[in-house]
Amino acid sequence: MLALFGTRGLIALAMTLCLIARVAAQDLPSGITLIVPYAPGGIVDVTSRLYADALSRRLGLTIVVENRPAGGGAVAVMSVKNASPDGRTLLVHPGTTLAALPFLERLAYDPLKDFEPVAALFDLLNFIAVPPDSPANTIPQLLDLWKSKPGGLNVGSAGFGSPAHFNSVILSLDNALPITMVQYRGSYPLMTDLVSSRIDLAMISYIVAQPFIQARKIKILAQDGAARWSGMPDTPTMIESGQLKKKASGWYAVSAPAGTPKAIMDRLNSEFIKASGEPQLAARLQASGVLTKTATLEELRKLMSAEVEVVGPLVKSLGMVPN
C-alpha cells in the first residue's frame, strides 16, 4: 500500500513538475533583446547592460542589448512597436521620448495604446556642464552669458526627446532666452564637442561626466535633482538657483509591444523589481548618479499618461523635430 502510494505520489509529483516547467517556459521567452535608442557607452546603454546581466544570471536566459540610436530614437521605438508581442523584444526608454515622438507627424503610434509598460528602471540625475574655458562658474553666471550671446547658447543633447533635451528647452523658455539645440547620437560625440567648446552647454549624466571632471576638461555648475546628490555634495541643485522648478521627469523604463500576454508582463515586472533590489546593482547605479526605481504595471501606465499630458503640448508649441 505504501509502495503503491509512493509510486502514485512520484507520478503525481513528476506531472506537477512538468506542468510547472511548461508554465515557466510560457511565462518568458528563451531569449530577450533590450533595444536601446542611444549609442553605446552612455548611461542608458550601461544601465541596460547591468540589468541584462542581472536578469540573465537570475533567469538563466540569454538577454542582449542592441543599440539603435538613429532617427532621434524613432528607429528603436518603431522596431519594438512592430515586433511580435511575445516578450522577446523590449524597449528601454525615458518616458519623455516615448511620449514625444508620436507628435512628429511622420511617426504613427500611440504611446498609451501601442506599448505595454513592463518595468521601471531608474531615475536619472543630469548635470549642467560647460566647457573648461567657459566664463560661467555658476548658474546665474551661465544665464548672464546666455543673455549676452547673440542668438543664445548652442546646447547639446544626447538624445531627442530625452529629459535632458526637454529640460534644456524649459530652461531657455523660463528665462526667455533663445536656444540652438544640437542633437547627437549618444553622449560621447556630444562630449567631444563640449570639451572643444563647439557647444556652450549640455545636461549630461554623471557616468558620462566623471572622467571629464577628473581630467578637468569640463566644469559642472549644478544638477537637476530635487536635492543634492551624495556623490557630489558640493554641487548645488538647479532649484537652489531658482531654475527648473517644473521640469521633464527623469524616469526610465522598459516597454513591450501592445498585445504582449499578461503572464509575460507580470513575470518581467517581478523579475526587474527583484533585479533592482540586488545590493550590487543598486550600489553601482547609485555611484553613477542613477537612482533605482520600481513600479507596478498600473503605476507605470499612470506615469506614462502624465508624461503624454506634459510633453505633447510642449512638442507641439515648440515645433520640435529631430535633426
Side-chain angles (χ1 to χ4, degrees), residues 25-40:
Q26 290 171 357
D27 278 356
L28 289 178
S30 58
I32 297 173
T33 299
L34 300 179
I35 304 294
V36 176
Y38 303 109

Side-chain angles (χ1 to χ4, degrees), residues 8-9 20-21 35 37 45 58 60 91 122 134 146 148 158 160 174-175 177 185 198 213 228 242-243 260 279 321:
R8 288 176 176 173
I20 291 173
I35 304 294
D45 173 66
R58 288 186 56 82
L91 176 70
F122 58 88
S134 173
W146 204 325
S148 69
F160 178 83
D174 286 348
N175 294 280
L177 296 169
R185 291 185 179 182
R198 293 190 184 96
I213 295 172
R228 293 197 181 197
Q243 303 297 322
T260 301
V321 294

Side-chain angles (χ1 to χ4, degrees), residues 228-259:
R228 293 197 181 197
W229 177 50
S230 60
M232 293 180 66
D234 294 331
T235 300
T237 67
M238 291 293 287
I239 293 175
E240 289 178 54
S241 297
Q243 303 297 322
L244 294 183
K245 294 179 180 178
K246 291 184 178 180
K247 66 185 186 73
S249 58
W251 59 269
Y252 286 69
V254 177
S255 291

